[in-house]
């Protein structure tokens, strides 16, 4: 299903971002708060929170959500939806969102990912300091408690050590239409299970020789409840716990425990975990019965993940694009990683607006890339100062403009507003001289109907300057126009009483050739030319847009020489551009096109 939200929301640029729309998760939280579902929660003892939540003390946070990435990759635009949702709820409901690294899987995690993830969450405008402490957690710090939870299940007769081979387990699991078969090890005694599990922990058994399984129901219509594995043997070095453990919890067992240990109230995940929810509840309820956890328990809610047209978000494909050099790196401005989006000039405000605008639903859908671009346009329209840039320059010579006795042009101040919506930002001075740069497309030798810019014998206003009349033009050997000649009308300067004396229909921008900063600009476009890269039996790599970046040399107004890395501007009539945060050096910024002024993709 393709959702076009243009009809639903007012996209006019003057509007400030809309307040977060209500959604089904907010509905659940409103209900829980009204009913006091999570009031007076007391702590069973959370390693991370122990210091803050003395036993028996009620939780100061009204709700607790979490963002639990595995530190095995870079965040992308899909994660931004989850971050804005979880941190946004915590912000709006006087709660806290835990920043939790789900690092229970040994080997895969790296510090580089941890650093980049925390940086991006903060860049999006969120934090985890609340109620006097930091709520940044590592799931691997709970290994001992998870182990105790597993022993508690064994002691309650709810888990057993299975010595079937992986192949036997797979066969005995059954299918969607057939019930599974009980393992021959399923009915060992509690004592035997406990001692076998301790042997697993103590390294007495080979990797893969046995697993601990929850004892639920091999005939359950939900395959996830057919005695899922909860601990496996794996001799692997862990970045946090080193070689302390040779058994590791399975994700589906670890996750509800992490939530419970941290006192999460609303555990929000994507729809593919819906079938896991019964197991999530099963684990927590059994442990509550065993006295290890206290009610109220965390509850899992699922929402539709973000699918965005013209983008791939799968970790495998992103790695592929980077490693096979289809892009320049993880922060290539064309990649949908947050590091790439930031370098492209996308804004945190734009992402938050986007998250609010697309909302949260229970059914999968595709969101049009244009909606994201519009959110960036809207926020940049408010924040970015205006500047002048000539991207495809040709010369305009004002033949009657005064020169001194050496033939040097007079130089004259013109005043350009920094932001039409924010007069308080004032005006800046741009120099007008005899020779200017103008856009090639602003002159037409044989004008088409409705072309009101520069044409032979025609009048046009030089924006913030004078009205000029075109008097001729020069061409090179190939017939391309190189220089346009004109004469100015001295009484018509913008901002003077004479400015209205001559009426013109067109208005063009320019940069003084004596006061220009010649700069490299990367004109970025979409990375894929198809809305659904790789749909059908196409290879998604074949859908790469061959023109996703073009590097040009442009003539910019001189003030842009001082642009700071990551500073964004609207180049009048062209779009939004940002000084590249990596490749700009002081006094010599290079610019990335963030987004055009209008949606030109469909044309
Ligand atoms: P993996 O395949 O490694 O699990 P992942 O993209 O799910 O990849 P995680 O680190 O597990 O990566 O993601 C962290 C959180 O971000 C999860 O809670 C997940 O639900 C959420 N998330 C990931 N992709 C999307 C998406 N496209 N839209 C919304 N949320 C997402
Ligand atoms: Mg995941």
């Amino acid at each position: 299903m393709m959702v076009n939200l243009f009809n639903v929301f007012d996209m006019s640029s003057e509007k400030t971002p809309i307040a977060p729309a209500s959604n089904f998760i907010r509905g659940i939280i409103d209900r829980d708060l009204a009913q006091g579902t999570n009031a007076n929660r007391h702590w069973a003892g959370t390693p991370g929170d122990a210091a803050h939540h003395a036993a028996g003390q009620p939780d100061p946070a009204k709700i607790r959500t979490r963002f639990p990435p595995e530190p095995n990759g870079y965040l992308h635009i899909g994660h931004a939806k989850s971050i804005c949702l979880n941190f946004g709820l915590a912000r709006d409901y006087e709660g806290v969102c835990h920043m939790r690294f789900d690092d229970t899987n040994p080997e895969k995690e790296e510090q580089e990912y941890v650093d980049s993830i925390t940086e991006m969450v903060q860049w999006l405008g969120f934090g985890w300091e609340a109620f006097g402490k930091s709520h940044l957690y590592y799931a691997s710090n709970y290994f001992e408690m998870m182990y105790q939870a597993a022993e508690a299940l064994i002691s309650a007769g709810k888990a057993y050590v299975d010595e079937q081979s992986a192949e036997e387990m797979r066969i005995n699991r059954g299918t969607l239409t057939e019930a599974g078969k009980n393992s021959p090890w399923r009915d060992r005694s509690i004592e035997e299970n406990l001692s076998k599990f301790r042997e697993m922990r103590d390294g007495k058994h080979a990797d893969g020789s046995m697993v601990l399984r929850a004892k639920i129901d091999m005939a359950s219509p939900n395959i996830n409840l057919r005695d899922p594995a909860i601990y496996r043997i794996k001799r692997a070095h862990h970045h946090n716990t080193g070689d302390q453990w040779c058994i590791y919890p399975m994700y589906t067992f670890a996750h509800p425990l992490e939530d419970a240990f941290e006192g999460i109230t609303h555990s929000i995940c994507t729809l593919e975990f819906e079938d896991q929810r019964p197991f999530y509840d099963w684990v927590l309820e059994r442990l509550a019965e065993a006295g290890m956890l206290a009610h109220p328990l965390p509850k899992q809610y699922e929402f539709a993940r973000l699918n965005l047209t013209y983008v791939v978000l799968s970790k495998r494909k992103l790695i592929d694009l980077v490693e096979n050099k289809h892009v320049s790196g993880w922060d290539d401005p064309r990649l949908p990683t947050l590091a790439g989006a930031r370098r492209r000039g996308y804004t945190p405000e734009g992402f938050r607006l986007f998250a609010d605008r697309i909302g949260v639903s229970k059914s999968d859908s595709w969101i049009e890339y244009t909606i994201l671009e519009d959110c960036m346009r809207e926020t940049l329209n408010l924040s970015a100062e205006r500047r002048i840039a000539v991207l495809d320059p040709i010369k305009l010579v004002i033949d009657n403009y005064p020169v001194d006795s050496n033939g040097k042009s007079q130089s004259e101040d013109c005043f350009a507003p920094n932001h039409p919506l924010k007069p308080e930002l004032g005006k800046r001075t741009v120099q007008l001289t005899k020779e200017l740069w103008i856009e090639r497309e602003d002159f037409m030798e044989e004008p088409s109907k409705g072309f009101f810019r520069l044409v032979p014998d025609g009048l046009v206003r030089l924006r913030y300057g004078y009205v000029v009349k075109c008097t001729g033009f020069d061409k090179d050997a190939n017939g391309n126009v190189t220089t346009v000649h004109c004469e100015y009308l001295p009484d018509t300067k913008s901002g003077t009483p004479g400015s209205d004396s001559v009426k013109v229909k067109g208005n063009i921008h320019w940069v003084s050739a004596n006061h220009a900063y010649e700069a490299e600009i990367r004109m970025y476009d979409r990375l894929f030319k198809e809305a659904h890269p790789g749909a059908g039996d196409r290879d998604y790599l074949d859908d790469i847009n061959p023109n996703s970046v073009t590097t040009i040399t442009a003539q910019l107004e001189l003030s842009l020489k001082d642009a700071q890395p990551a500073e964004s501007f609207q180049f009048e009539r062209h779009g939004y551009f940002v000084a590249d945060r990596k490749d700009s050096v002081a006094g010599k910024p290079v610019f990335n096109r963030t987004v055009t002024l209008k949606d030109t993709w469909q044309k």
Side-chain angles (χ1 to χ4, degrees):
M1 183 181 60
M2 184 71 98
V3 187
N4 188 326
L5 297 174
F6 280 98
N7 306 331
V8 186
F9 296 101
D10 183 345
M11 305 294 275
S12 76
S13 53
E14 248 79 287
K15 291 265 158 61
T16 46
I18 52 169
S22 193
N23 59 49
F24 77 96
I25 292 177
R26 285 175 184 266
I28 288 164
I29 295 174
D30 289 336
R31 179 206 66 196
D32 286 346
L33 291 177
Q35 296 177 352
T37 309
N38 292 299
N40 301 315
R41 279 173 305 136
H42 298 294
W43 255 242
T46 304
D49 274 353
H52 185 60
H53 301 288
Q57 287 298 305
D59 186 359
K62 291 212 173 116
I63 64 164
R64 282 179 191 258
T65 55
R66 85 286 171 272
F67 175 62
E70 220 181 307
N72 66 351
Y74 289 88
L75 296 182
H76 56 60
I77 298 177
H79 293 117
K81 175 177 178 180
S82 177
I83 292 166
C84 292
L85 175 63
N86 281 297
F87 283 93
L89 289 170
R91 174 199 60 205
D92 295 346
Y93 285 96
E94 297 169 52
V96 52
C97 178
H98 293 195
M99 176 72 235
R100 179 202 305 152
F101 287 103
D102 206 330
D103 59 351
T104 53
N105 202 359
E107 284 176 330
K108 287 204 306 197
E109 285 90 21
E110 281 180 40
Q111 188 62 33
E112 179 190 348
Y113 298 127
V114 169
D115 293 343
S116 134
I117 290 169
T118 50
E119 189 183 351
M120 285 303 134
V121 174
Q122 288 173 317
W123 176 69
L124 283 174
F126 300 107
W128 39 86
E129 297 284 334
F131 308 105
K133 73 183 289 287
S134 165
H135 296 273
L136 183 136
Y137 303 110
Y138 289 85
S140 58
N141 286 336
Y142 311 144
F143 278 155
E144 179 59 34
M145 291 177 76
M146 290 173 179
Y147 176 82
Q148 295 302 333
E151 281 211 356
L153 286 183
I154 297 173
S155 301
K158 298 293 177 190
Y160 63 99
V161 173
D162 193 352
E163 296 179 46
Q164 292 182 102
S165 69
E167 181 61 9
E168 285 167 329
M169 260 189 263
R170 194 186 57 75
I171 293 168
N172 289 336
R173 223 170 151 220
T175 64
L176 285 173
T177 50
E178 269 174 79
K181 288 199 192 74
N182 284 355
S183 162
W185 308 100
R186 199 174 195 263
D187 293 316
R188 342 172 86 143
S189 69
I190 289 174
E191 293 67 34
E192 195 184 347
N193 277 315
L194 267 183
S195 86
K196 278 278 168 198
F197 187 50
R198 288 172 185 164
E199 286 172 22
M200 281 170 64
R201 177 198 59 189
D202 295 339
K204 302 247 161 65
H205 299 284
D207 286 14
S209 61
M210 52 186 72
V211 293
L212 183 70
R213 296 178 75 174
K215 191 170 180 179
I216 310 180
D217 179 7
M218 288 305 292
S220 171
N222 182 343
I223 290 188
N224 299 302
L225 293 180
R226 292 184 191 170
D227 295 7
I230 58 180
Y231 257 96
R232 62 185 167 139
I233 307 173
K234 191 169 170 71
R235 286 171 177 77
H237 188 81
H238 189 281
H239 78 105
N240 181 21
T241 55
D243 298 318
Q244 188 188 340
W245 295 92
C246 67
I247 56 172
Y248 289 96
M250 305 300 285
Y251 178 82
T252 51
F253 179 62
H255 201 82
L257 293 178
E258 293 158 24
D259 287 345
F261 296 157
E262 293 178 13
I264 298 301
T265 56
H266 300 82
S267 176
I268 301 161
C269 61
T270 41
L271 281 177
E272 68 270 24
F273 293 102
E274 194 165 7
D275 292 345
Q276 290 289 355
R277 185 175 0 113
F279 182 58
Y280 182 102
D281 291 337
W282 184 94
V283 168
L284 298 185
E285 280 160 16
R286 296 298 82 75
L287 290 170
E289 287 163 10
M292 192 175 169
L293 297 175
H295 283 280
L297 298 168
K299 289 274 173 227
Q300 173 181 308
Y301 301 96
E302 308 86 22
F303 72 103
R305 68 193 298 110
L306 173 67
N307 298 307
L308 198 58
T309 58
Y310 296 98
V311 154
V312 295
L313 294 178
S314 119
K315 234 170 229 175
R316 181 182 62 76
K317 289 178 183 166
L318 293 176
I319 289 172
D320 190 25
L321 287 168
V322 173
E323 288 188 347
N324 294 311
K325 308 251 184 299
H326 297 286
V327 293
S328 64
W330 284 104
D331 59 356
D332 186 295
R334 293 164 296 175
L335 270 192
T337 53
L338 293 181
R342 178 175 69 167
R343 211 175 147 197
R344 174 79 172 253
Y346 283 15
T347 63
E349 299 78 15
F351 277 112
R352 297 199 299 265
L353 177 61
F354 177 65
D356 287 342
R357 193 162 278 170
I358 62 176
V360 183
S361 85
K362 270 250 170 243
S363 57
D364 273 313
S365 65
W366 284 85
I367 301 295
E368 305 227 39
Y369 197 74
T370 312
I371 295 176
L372 178 63
E373 289 180 319
D374 269 318
C375 291
M376 297 306 158
R377 287 186 182 104
E378 280 184 52
T379 53
L380 284 165
N381 182 39
L382 295 175
S383 61
E385 289 202 4
R386 275 46 171 176
R387 294 290 184 271
I388 302 165
V390 178
L391 301 186
D392 184 10
I394 57 170
K395 276 274 172 73
L396 177 72
V397 180
I398 310 173
D399 289 306
N400 65 339
Y401 199 70
V403 292
D404 65 17
S405 53
N406 300 319
K408 188 171 182 290
S409 169
Q410 171 185 306
S411 171
E412 174 175 357
D413 290 348
C414 296
F415 303 97
N418 288 321
H419 202 301
L421 305 174
K422 297 180 181 172
E424 67 276 16
L425 292 179
K427 294 185 173 186
R428 65 193 187 286
T429 308
V430 289
Q431 300 298 316
L432 181 81
T433 52
K434 184 180 174 88
E435 290 198 11
L436 309 175
W437 295 110
I438 61 167
E439 296 291 346
R440 178 175 301 280
E441 63 169 26
D442 282 344
F443 173 75
M444 269 184 115
E445 187 182 345
E446 287 166 28
S448 54
K449 196 165 175 285
F451 184 86
F452 298 120
R453 287 168 272 168
L454 210 47
V455 302
D457 298 321
L459 292 171
V460 77
R461 173 168 294 283
L462 298 178
R463 192 165 213 183
Y464 315 125
Y466 296 92
V467 172
V468 296
K469 178 173 186 182
C470 179
T471 53
F473 53 92
D474 306 332
K475 283 184 175 177
D476 63 16
N478 300 322
N480 295 318
V481 174
T482 53
T483 306
V484 178
H485 293 271
C486 68
E487 291 184 349
Y488 81 123
L489 311 184
D491 291 339
T492 59
K493 189 171 181 186
S494 294
T496 67
S499 66
D500 284 337
S501 59
V502 182
K503 291 268 178 258
V504 294
K505 281 192 173 158
N507 184 319
I508 65 173
H509 66 269
W510 49 274
V511 167
S512 159
N514 299 348
H515 302 84
Y517 167 49
E518 188 176 272
E520 175 186 322
I521 302 196
R522 296 86 169 259
M523 302 292 278
Y524 288 110
D525 211 326
R526 296 181 186 180
L527 184 56
F528 291 96
K529 58 186 192 301
E530 297 293 334
H532 301 279
D537 41 23
R538 291 198 311 273
D539 181 345
Y540 80 101
L541 292 175
D542 293 337
D543 290 337
I544 287 185
N545 173 10
N547 303 315
S548 59
V549 61
T550 319
T551 300
I552 62 168
T553 303
Q555 300 291 343
L556 314 183
E557 68 167 85
L558 203 53
S559 68
L560 286 167
K561 216 173 154 57
D562 300 322
Q564 297 302 305
E567 203 176 353
S568 284
F569 300 94
Q570 183 195 96
F571 289 176
E572 290 188 15
R573 294 174 65 205
H574 289 303
Y576 297 96
F577 292 74
V578 67
D580 190 87
R581 59 174 54 240
K582 236 180 172 174
D583 299 335
S584 293
V585 293
K588 204 168 187 313
V590 300
F591 291 88
N592 300 330
R593 181 167 71 190
T594 305
V595 64
T596 53
L597 274 191
K598 294 206 171 69
D599 180 16
T600 51
W601 182 260
Q602 311 304 333
K603 289 185 197 138

